[in-house]
Amino acid sequence: MRIGVLALQGAFREHLDTLDAIGVAGVRVREPSDLDGVSGLILPGGESTTMRQLIERWGLRRPILDLAERGAPIFGTCAGMIVLAAEIAGGEPPILALLDVTVERNAFGRQLESFEADLVVPILGATPVHGVFIRAPIIDRAGPDVDVLARLDDGRVVAVRQRNIVATAFHPELAGETRFHRLIATMAAEHADPGEGSGRRPHPTRRSIVTRHDGSAR
């Protein structure tokens, strides 16, 4: 099994190191052909506007959407969550719109306001998850099909899942936390592409597509 990590910009190396630490082959994704044979994809932290430009420049948008539609897990951290969101506060057009949430960029302020926190994430067990928040976004709204995985003590939502799409406002990979990556690896194994010529198609209830930002179903 191989999991891709979008390696156009941002903190992709730490995700590759985390995958290596749990015994999963990580693949740097810079162009559409790099997605061939991967069973999942991680969108790292970084700068979402730059990611938007590079995704479009290298023709990656449609191949990533196709991968999600086949049921492969997509995991976004920090800026990666913004890339996945169906709505970005302030009217900025969405990028992939795979996750039925509204996100606010830089919700905690500047770099100096970066912080770390222990979060209760029941899906990952009783031990709190340590997350690093760096110019992090926050989820202002989550759609009815979105499961909230974690909140801060003040109730703000910082981790969600919608079918095969997972996103965190924080960086687990910068804290030495591997459980989110293990979750993605498990999901990737369950939804791995059966290969060409098998005649199998993904079960329709496993489709990752959510409500579009204009309100229409996809």
Side-chain angles (χ1 to χ4, degrees), residues 168-185:
T168 63
F170 54 90
H171 297 266
E173 78 285 357
L174 297 182
E177 172 61 59
T178 64
R179 281 174 287 172
F180 272 100
H181 293 73
R182 293 180 187 277
L183 171 64
I184 297 305

Side-chain angles (χ1 to χ4, degrees), residues 21 78 144:
C78 197

Side-chain angles (χ1 to χ4, degrees), residues 5-10 12 16 27-30 42 44:
V5 179
L6 191 67
L8 300 177
Q9 186 264 347
F12 60 86
L16 290 166
V27 178
R28 296 186 185 211
V29 174
R30 293 192 172 102
I42 296 173

Side-chain angles (χ1 to χ4, degrees), residues 108-153:
F108 299 96
R110 301 180 179 180
Q111 186 94 7
L112 291 175
E113 280 71 54
S114 298
F115 65 97
E116 300 182 19
D118 289 327
L119 304 160
V120 176
V121 188
I123 194 174
L124 299 182
T127 303
V129 169
H130 195 68
V132 177
F133 293 77
I134 302 174
R135 291 187 300 167
I138 201 73
I139 294 174
D140 290 333
R141 177 197 63 84
D145 294 328
V146 176
D147 296 323
V148 173
L149 301 183
R151 299 176 183 267
L152 292 173
D153 290 341

Side-chain angles (χ1 to χ4, degrees), residues 185-208:
T186 298
M187 293 168 62
E190 292 173 350
H191 297 278
D193 190 336
E196 295 183 3
S198 67
R200 292 172 57 191
R201 295 179 62 84
H203 192 283
T205 62
R206 292 181 176 176
R207 293 186 67 208
S208 64

